[in-house]
Amino acid sequence: MSTVATAPSTTRQPKPGLTDRAKGERALGWKLAGPAFVVMLLVTAYPIFQAIWNSLFSFRLTDPASRKFVFLGNYVTIVTDPLFWLAVGNTLFITVVTVVVELVIGMALAMLMNKVIWPRKTLRTVVLVPYSIITVVSAFAWFYGVQISTGFLNHWLEALTFGAWDVNFNWFGHWWSSMLVICMSEIWKTTPFMSLLLLSGLAQIDGAMEEAAKVDGATFWQRMFKVVLPNMKAAIMVAVLFRTLDAFRIFDNVFIMTQGAQNTTTFSLLAYDQTINRVEIGMGSAISVLLFLSVLLIAAIFVRGFKVDLTGGRN
């Protein structure tokens, strides 16, 4: 008597279809959210495509009759102009300096706010005060604080150096001093934002892990680099990415303090100058498109570099 072995079936079972109730809820969701989604898509996409289209023309707003299609001519003019690379260099300088300093100070503030039990709420409120101030107001405060006729910084430095500091020193008369004031105002304004995002990452770390490392004899820096930082990688990525994109688009501080004087122009200020002051719509649109592409490139580099799956909640 022989037996025949039956091979297990490898045929995939079809997924069960949606019930009528689920189909109805999905259709209702599209009906409710669909119009808002379409409007948001149009509001976001239309200016981008319009800027790309305008960037292909030599177009001055005061002389619309001379509008001429130049294809990539505006882009060639921009990348061969030393002023563009000066603006890019200043923008990168401000971005790197401010983000690095804010990350260090923000991490220290986040650790302090995470450890301090009393007065925790008061401390967090005080730290967040600068971020609650409008950027334009903050820029004017720093401008009047260091200006010769109205400022107090020169008088403080003169007192601290026993008269060695020149009380009539013009902070906006040199490139380095202008950039220093711009970076200091940016750091003072947005470090609380960085510390708040880092604090959310610190709060997610299990304290037992740090205690176990401490029991095993790990030093403070070993616990920092082996336990704390790897477990708050997602929070660091979000904080650094947001601040980098924000710093790369800096406009208010430079516009109010120097308006590009002493070779302090930036990417955004250059686009404003071409579009608003010179009404060169084609050239200004081309610079704006390059700024948009730069922001996309920075975001892609950060997401790939950190290798963090935010949706999955794991690295």
Side-chain angles (χ1 to χ4, degrees):
M1 184 177 178
S2 62
T3 59
V4 178
T6 304
S9 175
T10 57
T11 305
R12 289 185 176 180
Q13 297 295 326
K15 292 183 179 179
L18 295 176
T19 63
D20 292 339
R21 179 177 179 179
K23 291 179 180 177
E25 290 179 348
R26 175 177 290 186
L28 178 62
W30 275 109
K31 289 178 182 176
L32 294 175
F37 176 75
V38 172
V39 170
M40 288 179 61
L41 189 63
L42 291 176
V43 169
T44 304
Y46 175 75
I48 295 174
F49 287 112
Q50 184 66 51
I52 294 174
W53 177 252
N54 288 336
S55 70
L56 304 178
F57 289 86
S58 174
F59 176 33
R60 194 181 183 93
L61 197 60
T62 55
D63 188 15
S66 63
R67 178 185 171 115
K68 180 183 177 182
F69 182 76
V70 294
F71 192 44
L72 299 179
N74 287 330
Y75 294 96
V76 174
T77 303
I78 291 169
V79 297
T80 55
D81 193 328
L83 181 62
F84 170 73
W85 295 110
L86 174 67
V88 173
N90 286 334
T91 305
L92 289 174
F93 177 81
I94 294 173
T95 302
V96 172
V97 170
T98 56
V99 172
V100 170
V101 175
E102 288 172 18
L103 180 61
V104 174
I105 299 177
M107 189 68 193
L109 288 174
M111 294 180 69
L112 180 65
M113 290 189 288
N114 191 47
K115 294 295 184 183
V116 170
I117 300 176
W118 184 89
R120 175 175 291 181
K121 293 182 180 179
T122 304
L123 177 62
R124 293 181 180 181
T125 303
V126 171
V127 169
L128 290 175
V129 166
Y131 191 65
S132 65
I133 299 175
I134 301 171
T135 305
V136 174
V137 177
S138 167
F140 271 115
W142 277 87
F143 175 75
Y144 289 120
V146 301
Q147 198 180 30
I148 296 177
S149 57
T150 59
F152 56 84
L153 185 60
N154 280 336
H155 297 281
W156 285 7
L157 291 175
E158 184 192 28
L160 292 173
T161 57
F162 303 102
W165 184 264
D166 183 6
V167 73
N168 293 317
F169 178 74
N170 184 8
W171 286 89
F172 300 116
H174 313 275
W175 179 87
W176 69 268
S177 54
S178 300
M179 297 297 280
L180 178 62
V181 176
I182 291 170
C183 289
M184 287 174 62
S185 66
E186 187 76 1
I187 292 168
W188 178 81
K189 170 74 172 59
T190 52
T191 295
F193 175 74
M194 181 77 84
S195 65
L196 190 64
L197 292 178
L198 295 175
L199 178 62
S200 66
L202 280 175
Q204 302 298 321
I205 299 176
D206 187 359
M209 297 171 63
E210 281 193 82
E211 291 297 328
K214 189 183 296 184
V215 171
D216 290 340
T219 63
F220 171 80
W221 293 111
Q222 287 174 330
R223 295 197 303 274
M224 175 64 71
F225 287 102
K226 299 292 184 181
V227 178
V228 176
L229 295 182
N231 284 283
M232 56 181 298
K233 196 174 177 182
I236 294 174
M237 190 207 73
V238 172
V240 175
L241 175 60
F242 279 18
R243 275 301 305 137
T244 301
L245 297 181
D246 198 27
F248 196 80
R249 295 179 288 109
I250 184 171
F251 175 79
D252 309 57
N253 288 327
V254 182
F255 179 76
I256 290 170
M257 294 184 188
T258 66
Q259 296 191 357
Q262 308 300 338
N263 291 327
T264 57
T265 188
T266 59
F267 215 143
S268 298
L269 190 63
L270 188 62
Y272 171 85
D273 187 52
Q274 292 293 324
T275 308
I276 304 300
N277 291 338
R278 301 187 61 189
V279 291
E280 290 278 3
I281 304 301
M283 194 67 72
S285 298
I287 297 174
S288 300
V289 171
L290 291 177
L291 177 60
F292 174 69
L293 294 177
S294 301
V295 169
L296 287 181
L297 179 63
I298 292 172
I301 291 174
F302 270 81
V303 171
R304 280 190 170 274
F306 276 84
K307 298 179 181 178
V308 175
D309 182 8
L310 294 176
T311 58
R314 58 183 184 276
N315 296 343

